[in-house]
Amino acid sequence: MGKDLVSGLGAILPWSSPPEDKGPTEGNHRLTALTGGLLIPLLALIFLTGLFMDAWWHIHYAVGFVLIPVVVLKLASTGYRALRYYTGNPTYRAAGPPDLLPRLLAPLLAISVIIALATGVALYVQHTRGGVLSTLHTDSAVCSAILIGLHLLTYVPDALAAVLREPRVHLSRPASLRVVAAGVALVFGIILATLTYSSGVWPARPHDRGNGSGVSLISPDGLTAMAGSIPTCIMLL
């Protein structure tokens, strides 16, 4: 009965069972883990600068543009695995489905992150930080923060083990391609952020509070807006 209990917990909470090599799908697993490792500091910075939006709005948008290609690579990697599994590919079917909790959270996480990035770009294009787009951006960002926290709790131990296994392949061609793919996504994001930053056109009026064009979350109005987003995220869960 004890083994059955551990097995059952392992299906829901991946950290309750030791990380293992994924066999034929290990390459995809390592690319996903490597990309996730790049995302962790970028996401931490995007959420931190979002909390102090009035002071750090320019950094917030620059990091947001850096995030875009890295997020695209992460979604492509995880989406490829899901597509191959659900279309009946023997290799991915044999590797088994994703763990239960991440499988349930993945669609909501992907949608919330895509909405947050898309609305952020739209706000940049419209040169504003107000209106419906701003509300949608804040709501999706709060949802993303909650879901990413849950995602990290489920995947960090296994992802760390996968990244640590990477050096053992002695820079084989597949390993080199994974590193190059992650590096290209990061460099492309930095170029994108640099180009948009150099344009000098930012969606700001960060010091003009009178017209409601921008609110820092670390303020009474900002905290109220953030708190109002949480029930929406809970209902989605």
Side-chain angles (χ1 to χ4, degrees):
M1 181 176 179
K3 292 183 178 180
D4 293 338
L5 178 60
V6 171
S7 178
L9 286 174
I12 302 174
L13 307 175
W15 64 81
S16 64
S17 57
E20 297 178 355
D21 189 290
K22 307 299 179 181
T25 64
E26 176 71 6
N28 174 266
H29 182 61
R30 291 184 186 179
L31 176 60
T32 301
L34 181 61
T35 311
L38 289 178
L39 283 173
I40 290 176
L42 292 174
L43 289 170
L45 189 55
I46 200 76
F47 290 132
L48 178 63
T49 54
L51 291 175
F52 298 93
M53 192 66 177
D54 281 347
W56 294 348
W57 58 270
H58 50 297
I59 300 176
H60 183 77
Y61 276 92
V63 176
F65 280 109
V66 174
L67 270 173
I68 292 174
V70 184
V71 168
V72 168
L73 180 60
K74 180 71 157 57
L75 292 176
S77 178
T78 55
Y80 177 81
R81 175 188 174 184
L83 179 64
R84 298 304 297 272
Y85 177 82
Y86 288 111
T87 55
N89 178 269
T91 300
Y92 282 81
R93 295 292 293 185
D99 296 295
L100 179 59
L101 183 58
R103 202 185 334 165
L104 295 175
L105 296 179
L108 296 176
L109 176 56
I111 291 171
S112 64
V113 169
I114 290 172
I115 292 175
L117 290 176
T119 52
V121 172
L123 289 168
Y124 173 85
V125 171
Q126 294 185 9
H127 317 311
T128 182
R129 278 172 45 194
V132 175
L133 278 177
S134 180
T135 300
L136 186 57
H137 181 72
T138 299
D139 289 350
S140 59
V142 172
C143 289
S144 297
I146 295 172
L147 293 169
I148 288 170
L150 294 173
H151 183 79
L152 289 176
L153 287 175
T154 60
Y155 269 131
V156 162
D158 188 52
L160 180 60
V163 171
L164 292 177
R165 285 197 295 268
E166 190 71 73
R168 300 179 189 177
V169 298
H170 303 295
L171 290 181
S172 65
R173 186 169 181 271
S176 299
L177 290 176
R178 288 191 290 270
V179 173
V180 168
V184 167
L186 182 61
V187 170
F188 185 74
I190 292 173
I191 293 173
L192 185 60
T194 302
L195 292 175
T196 54
Y197 187 89
S198 299
S199 71
V201 182
W202 285 96
R205 287 188 299 268
H207 302 296
D208 185 358
R209 295 179 180 274
N211 57 16
S213 61
V215 176
S216 171
L217 287 179
I218 303 300
S219 68
D221 291 340
L223 291 173
T224 299
M226 183 170 63
S229 304
I230 294 175
T232 303
C233 300
I234 293 174
M235 285 189 294
L236 288 174
L237 294 174

